[in-house]
Amino acid sequence: MTAPVIDDATDAISGKPDALAAGLYIVATPIGNLGDITLRAIRVLTACELVACEDTRVTGKLLNHLGIAKKMWRYDDHSEAGTRAGLIERMRAGPVALVSDAGMPLVSDPGYRLVEDARAAGVAVTVVPGPSAPLAALALSGMPNDRFLFAGFLPAKDKARGEVLAELAPVKTTLIFFETAPRLGKSLAAIAEMLPGREVAVARELTKFYEECRRGSAEEVLAHFEAHPPKGEIVLLVGPPVEVEPSADDADAMLRDLLKTEKPSRAAGVVAKATGLDRKALYARAMELKGE
C-alpha cells in the first residue's frame, strides 16, 4: 500500500506552498525548542500575506530561523479597535496569520478580541494547532489528567490569590496555572495553607535545555525553590483534593491566613466554602483567633 501524500508537508519543504484562502489563521508556535514548529505552521507562515504578533522582535527571530521573510503587524491586548479593524480588512483581502510569542495564541495571550471581531465580520477563521505549555506540563508532571482546569495566572496580590484558591478548592480535578518566577514562592505558600495536603508540580523551561519538573507537597517544592531560585517560564499544577475530612488545624491555618486581610465573617465564609465545614462554627473560631 502506498503511503498517503501530505500536501502541506510537501509544500512546506519545497518552499512553494499553494495559495491560502483569505481569512485569519491562528498559528501555534514553539514554547522553547524551535524544532517543535509544525509543517503546517511553516506552510501558513510562508503563504500568508501578513503576520500579526505580540512582539515583532520575538516573532522575527522565529521567522528568520525558518528562512521566511514576512511583513509583521504588532498586535496585543492593548491594541485599539482601529488596529483590529485594519487587520480585519487585510483578512478580507488575503490570509493573515496570528501568533503569540510562544505557544497557542489566546491561551493567556492576545487574540481573543481579534478572533471575536473577525467572526462577527464574517471573516473565515481557522486554527493551526501545535505546542501548548499547559498540556505539555500536564503530560510531563504525571498528574491526574482525566479532568483538569486551566485557570491562567494566579493574582499577584495576597488577598485576591487566597480568594481564587478558596474558590477553586472544591473543584475535584487537577488545577493548572501560569506563574512567574518571582511570585512562585508566595503562590506555593498560599497553596500549602489554602489547599492543604494536595500535591503540586512545578514545570519550568519546557522543551528547553534546562527543562525541569519538580513534584511533591507544596511545602517540599517551596523549600526546593527557596534553596534554588527558579528562572524561566513556569507552569504550576495542583493535584485534585485529597478525600479526607479537613482537620481543625487545617481550618485554623486557613482562617489565620485570611484574617490578615479579611473580617471574621468573610474569612469564615471562604473557609466554609473551601472545606464544607459549618460556617457558624468557623465564625466562632475566627473570633477566637482574632482575639489572640
Side-chain angles (χ1 to χ4, degrees):
M1 180 181 292
T2 305
V5 176
I6 303 174
D7 292 338
D8 283 359
T10 302
D11 292 338
I13 293 171
S14 68
K16 298 178 181 179
D18 294 335
L20 294 178
L24 174 60
Y25 294 77
I26 305 167
V27 182
T29 56
I31 58 177
N33 191 317
L34 296 182
D36 291 336
I37 190 76
T38 68
L39 292 171
R40 185 174 173 219
I42 294 173
R43 179 199 172 204
V44 170
L45 292 173
T46 300
C48 70
E49 297 180 1
L50 179 71
V51 178
C53 56
E54 278 186 88
D55 189 325
T56 57
R57 295 166 298 179
V58 174
T59 300
K61 290 179 181 179
L62 174 63
L63 295 178
N64 183 63
H65 173 78
L66 298 173
I68 299 173
K70 196 64 54 177
K71 182 176 179 181
M72 292 178 283
W73 185 320
R74 188 174 185 276
Y75 177 83
D76 59 27
D77 278 340
H78 304 292
S79 298
E80 297 179 354
T83 299
R84 292 196 295 277
L87 279 170
I88 289 172
E89 287 306 308
R90 296 294 296 267
M91 296 170 200
R92 293 183 191 279
V96 173
L98 171 67
V99 301
S100 64
D101 284 349
M104 177 60 70
L106 282 75
V107 180
S108 287
D109 276 325
Y112 168 76
R113 293 184 181 89
L114 182 62
V115 173
E116 186 180 39
D117 287 1
R119 287 192 173 282
V123 171
V125 179
T126 191
V127 64
V128 183
S132 171
L135 295 181
L138 180 63
L140 182 64
S141 71
M143 288 281 194
N145 57 23
D146 54 331
R147 298 176 67 229
F148 57 89
L149 171 66
F150 174 67
F153 282 93
L154 280 170
K157 294 185 177 180
D158 295 343
K159 178 181 177 182
R161 185 189 297 111
E163 289 176 346
V164 168
L165 290 174
E167 177 186 355
L168 295 176
V171 180
K172 297 180 179 181
T173 188
T174 297
L175 307 175
I176 306 176
F177 304 98
F178 283 152
E179 191 51 278
T180 65
R183 295 207 309 249
L184 178 62
K186 287 188 175 182
S187 290
L188 287 170
I191 290 167
E193 288 198 28
M194 302 298 294
L195 307 177
R198 296 176 67 166
E199 194 170 25
V200 305
V202 171
R204 51 178 292 274
E205 295 291 83
L206 289 170
T207 77
K208 301 178 183 178
F209 183 80
Y210 292 106
E211 178 181 274
E212 176 186 19
C213 185
R214 180 73 50 173
R215 179 172 165 176
S217 69
E219 293 87 350
E220 291 169 343
V221 176
L222 174 58
H224 170 79
F225 284 111
E226 284 180 336
H228 306 87
K231 296 180 180 179
E233 303 294 327
I234 290 171
V235 181
L236 173 58
L237 303 96
V238 183
V242 181
E243 297 297 333
V244 295
E245 191 71 21
S247 68
D249 287 343
D250 293 335
D252 276 6
M254 296 174 72
L255 286 170
R256 289 181 191 279
D257 184 63
L258 287 165
L259 286 171
K260 295 174 184 177
T261 55
E262 301 286 356
K263 294 181 179 179
S265 58
R266 171 64 178 164
V270 170
V271 176
K273 184 176 180 181
T275 64
L277 296 174
D278 181 71
R279 188 179 184 282
K280 290 184 178 179
L282 288 169
Y283 175 72
R285 180 57 178 157
M287 291 299 293
E288 291 176 4
L289 293 173
K290 188 78 172 176
E292 289 182 355

